[in-house]
Every structure is written in C-alpha cells, then in structure tokens.
Amino acid sequence: MGRYARKKQHKGDKPLKEKYRTKRKTKDHDQIHEDMKPDKAQKLLNQEIDYDRPGAGQFYCIHCAKYCINEQALKEHFRGKPHKRRIKALQVEPYTQAEADRAAGMGSYIAPKSVDVQTQDNKMQEDIG
C-alpha cells in the first residue's frame, strides 16, 4: 500500500456532517418540556384546522412534536418504539443554565430530578376541547 492509499483510508468529515445534520431535526427535550406545560399543551392539542399539516393538524403527539394523519396512526405511534424512547428520555429534568454554571465550577453538583411523563390520552384531548 502506497503513501497515497494510506491517506485515503480516513473518513474525513462525514461523521461530523451526520452528527449535525438538520434535515430531520426535531425539537429538543427542553423545548418539549415547555410544550408539556398545561396551558401550552392545551393549545397544541386543540389546534385550528390547518390543511398544510398531516391530518389537518388535529392529531398531534406533544412528546415527539409529530403530526399524524388520523387517530389510528396516532394510536400506532403511541405503541411504537420511537415514542417510548422519547418518553423515557423526557423523564429526566431538562438541562438548565444553572446546571451548566454548576458544571463549570460555580456551585455544587445537584443530580437531575425525575419527571413523571405519561403518554397523552385521546380522552385528555377531548376533555380539554
């Protein structure tokens, strides 16, 4: 193997591109925690009809920030692995600026608290509306 061939064995910046890709970027966990607050959740679950969104914007998963085309698709989404992974990830308290300051040496470490996150019910959606 020559010198030129040895140089070409590296991956280059492809892993960095994949890490920071934004084509399928979803909301971060702290943004979803903001959406899960009762007043904002009520607005998201009872949106006005918007024909530009799947299902006219009527079938929305707050935890995944995802629109479904109908109620059956939403129920299947709730049973799926990506939704369950997102629920598990949301059970940790979101990262805050105060925590970043403590990590930088401006205070004592406090372990993140656990947050009780339940999958939204369609009954909850009907009760609010």
Side-chain angles (χ1 to χ4, degrees), residues 92-96 98-103 106-113:
V92 177
E93 188 180 41
Y95 193 73
T96 61
E99 188 174 351
D101 291 341
R102 287 193 298 269
M106 294 184 265
S108 299
Y109 174 75
I110 299 173
K113 298 175 184 169

Side-chain angles (χ1 to χ4, degrees), residues 2 9-10 14 43 48 58 64 67 69 78 80 96 100 103 105 111 119:
Q9 300 301 317
H10 299 288
K14 185 178 178 191
K43 290 178 185 176
E48 292 189 19
Q58 300 302 300
C64 301
Y67 291 95
I69 197 156
F78 289 155
T96 61
T119 297

Side-chain angles (χ1 to χ4, degrees), residues 11-86:
K11 293 180 182 177
D13 62 346
K14 185 178 178 191
L16 290 175
K17 285 182 191 174
E18 289 178 356
K19 183 178 179 182
Y20 296 114
R21 107 177 57 174
T22 58
K23 184 174 182 180
R24 292 181 186 91
K25 181 90 172 100
T26 59
K27 286 187 177 181
D28 291 325
H29 297 293
D30 57 338
Q31 294 171 323
I32 291 174
H33 273 282
E34 288 293 319
D35 288 348
M36 287 170 37
K37 292 182 178 173
D39 56 339
K40 194 154 186 185
Q42 181 180 3
K43 290 178 185 176
L44 288 171
L45 289 175
N46 297 315
Q47 297 179 22
E48 292 189 19
I49 294 176
D50 182 4
Y51 293 109
D52 292 335
R53 297 185 183 199
Q58 300 302 300
F59 307 101
Y60 183 72
C61 176
I62 295 176
H63 306 107
C64 301
K66 180 178 182 176
Y67 291 95
C68 293
I69 197 156
N70 56 25
E71 189 174 354
Q72 179 64 28
L74 186 64
K75 287 179 181 178
E76 288 178 18
H77 166 73
F78 289 155
R79 289 195 307 260
K81 194 180 279 190
H83 179 77
K84 291 178 182 178
R85 278 192 209 129
R86 179 61 64 105

